[in-house]
């Protein structure tokens, strides 16, 4: 199959109406989309990504009415919707029967969000069904933040990549749900925990294991192929003399074989936006290992630390 890259929303819509797969831009990362109401189309997503069937997909909608068609929107969810949609936050809510079991891996909940990317919104408006879409990478690898990233890994396997430019947030959505009456954080992401807590009060940690692993939380996720180490950069570089150490730094420059500074001005949003592209670049370089600084555990720094931690956990 030849994979085309373009900006033709009508072309993307026609392929999706036909039960096909299209990679789409969102403000967080690129998604691999199919008609969420078509179980056969959704099955193709799992095949192309080589994703295990127990890992549920997020359903992307274009307005509140469409969210109501797939989920029971609870009072706390309404608060978050008013404050953060469209935007990088996914709400895990009781599902409605319209959503096939394959989308939710048989769970009685569904993850829903309205993406803030104008092209994704135009596409969703052109369709009369929502889009199930995980990140458009092979299972377990770093998420794509450009159309080129998608083509590098899924080229030849899907017919079309809708090119919406580089993703403005650069890390996946924050995922929030409810467990026994408590609102819990399943995954740190584009909407900072502090912003959610300003609306709802303190969030809990997820305890329920609905899958073989906690939802959205496979340890080996977001991992490049090279070893990743996190911590005191100087000490780690010194411990690997003779090796080509590629450093991922927040605002400083470190003396090493190579150093990528994510934001010289110390802006965590800028750092998050660049993180996955830099991880990919270093993974493709002839570095022996990747050494990352620990980022401030606040705002988007939480999501950065989380993704780096998972990248390091693979070894
Ligand atoms: O920003 C994002 O969220 C991107 C863009 C494309 O929207 N999507 C994304 O999808 O990151 P994915 O599949 O790579 O990660 C979604 C995570 C999964 O790991 C899954 O475990 C969790 O969301 N999830 C989905 N539905 C869930 C549910 N009903 N309960 C708990 N976790 C759920
Ligand atoms: Mg993913």
């Amino acid at each position: 199959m030849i994979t085309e890259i373009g900006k033709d929303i009508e072309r993307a819509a026609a392929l999706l109406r036909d039960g096909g797969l299209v990679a789409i831009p969102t403000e967080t990362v690129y998604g691999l989309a199919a008609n969420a109401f078509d179980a056969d189309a959704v099955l193709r997503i799992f095949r192309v990504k080589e994703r295990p069937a127990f890992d549920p997909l997020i359903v992307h909608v274009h307005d509140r009415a469409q969210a109501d068609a797939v989920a029971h929107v609870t009072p706390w969810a309404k608060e978050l919707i008013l404050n953060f949609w469209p935007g990088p936050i996914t709400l895990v809510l009781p599902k409605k029967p319209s959503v096939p079991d394959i989308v939710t891996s048989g769970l009685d909940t569904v993850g829903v969000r309205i993406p803030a990317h104008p092209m994704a919104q135009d596409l969703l408006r052109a369709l009369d069904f929502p889009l199930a879409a995980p990140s458009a990478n092979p299972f377990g690898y770093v998420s794509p933040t450009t159309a080129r990233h998608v083509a590098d890994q899924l080229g030849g396997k899907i017919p079309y990549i809708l090119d919406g430019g580089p993703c403005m947030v650069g890390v996946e959505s924050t995922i929030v749900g409810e467990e026994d009456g408590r609102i819990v954080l399943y995954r740190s992401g584009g909407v900072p925990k502090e912003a959610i807590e300003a609306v709802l009060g303190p969030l809990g940690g997820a305890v329920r294991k609905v899958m073989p692993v906690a939802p959205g939380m496979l340890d080996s996720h977001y991992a490049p192929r090279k070893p990743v180490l996190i911590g005191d950069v100087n000490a780690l570089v010194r411990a690997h003399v003779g090796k080509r150490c590629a450093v991922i730094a927040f605002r400083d420059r470190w003396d090493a074989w190579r150093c990528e500074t994510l934001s010289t001005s110390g802006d965590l949003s800028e750092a998050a936006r660049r993180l996955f592209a830099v991880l990919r670049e270093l993974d493709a370089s002839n570095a022996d290992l990747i050494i990352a600084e620990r980022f401030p555990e606040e705002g988007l720094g939480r999501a950065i630390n989380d993704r780096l931690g998972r990248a390091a956990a693979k070894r």
Side-chain angles (χ1 to χ4, degrees):
M1 184 184 295
I2 291 178
T3 302
E4 276 181 58
I5 303 180
K7 298 180 187 297
D8 187 346
I9 289 173
E10 216 11 81
R11 171 94 200 280
L15 285 162
L16 290 162
R17 285 187 203 106
D18 250 18
L21 303 188
V22 174
I24 62 165
T26 82
E27 79 280 32
T28 57
V29 300
Y30 276 71
L32 181 60
N35 178 351
F37 292 156
D38 179 345
D40 294 328
V42 173
L43 179 61
R44 272 178 220 121
I45 295 179
F46 284 90
R47 294 232 177 97
V48 165
K49 271 191 69 108
E50 297 177 45
R51 180 180 176 109
F54 61 73
D55 197 5
L57 306 182
I58 292 172
V59 173
H60 298 71
V61 299
H62 72 264
D63 62 10
R64 253 307 296 278
Q66 207 172 34
D68 288 328
V70 298
H72 296 278
V73 177
T74 54
W76 62 265
K78 281 183 191 145
E79 292 285 310
L80 295 184
I81 288 171
L82 285 174
N83 282 276
F84 302 116
W85 273 7
I89 183 166
T90 297
L91 308 176
V92 173
L93 298 168
K95 92 185 244 313
K96 289 194 174 164
S98 62
V99 182
D101 283 338
I102 186 171
V103 173
T104 59
S105 304
L107 297 175
D108 53 10
T109 54
V110 60
V112 190
R113 80 179 191 100
I114 302 184
H117 196 292
M119 230 179 205
Q121 292 181 354
D122 286 349
L123 176 64
L124 283 162
R125 258 192 300 274
L127 300 168
D128 57 9
F129 49 82
L131 292 173
S135 51
N137 49 283
F139 183 70
Y141 197 71
V142 181
S143 296
T145 52
T146 66
R148 175 46 52 193
H149 293 165
V150 180
D152 286 345
Q153 293 190 301
L154 299 184
K157 295 186 172 161
I158 56 174
Y160 199 63
I161 301 170
L162 192 60
D163 187 354
C167 299
M168 292 308 289
V169 175
V171 290
E172 299 86 348
S173 60
T174 304
I175 305 182
V176 176
E178 180 174 349
E179 288 185 2
D180 308 318
R182 296 177 319 129
I183 313 308
V184 299
L185 183 69
Y186 285 123
R187 178 173 76 183
S188 299
V191 172
K193 183 184 182 194
E194 295 87 334
I196 299 168
E197 292 189 327
V199 175
L200 293 183
L203 292 177
V207 285
R208 191 182 298 159
K209 302 244 176 184
V210 284
M211 297 186 289
V213 290
M217 288 292 149
L218 288 169
D219 275 346
S220 68
H221 244 74
Y222 317 102
R225 294 189 181 84
K226 291 192 200 298
V228 177
L229 302 173
I230 307 169
D232 180 337
V233 172
N234 274 331
L236 288 169
V237 170
R238 259 186 275 117
H240 294 86
V241 279
K243 292 263 166 74
R244 289 182 294 261
C245 298
V247 174
I248 299 181
F250 178 25
R251 56 193 309 168
D252 300 319
R253 285 211 57 82
W254 299 91
D255 192 18
W257 176 76
R258 180 163 169 184
C259 178
E260 292 292 333
T261 302
L262 295 188
S263 174
T264 48
S265 65
D267 175 356
L268 287 167
S269 301
E270 183 186 22
R273 184 155 61 235
R274 295 191 53 212
L275 177 68
F276 287 160
V278 165
L279 268 174
R280 269 171 195 268
E281 208 179 305
L282 296 181
D283 205 25
S285 76
N286 53 7
D288 294 312
L289 72 161
I290 299 169
I291 292 172
E293 238 182 315
R294 210 174 296 288
F295 283 65
E297 188 66 11
E298 62 187 41
L300 283 172
R302 289 175 199 279
I304 296 173
N305 285 332
D306 176 80
R307 302 308 186 270
L308 286 171
R310 278 166 218 292
K314 192 164 191 179
R315 280 356 92 165

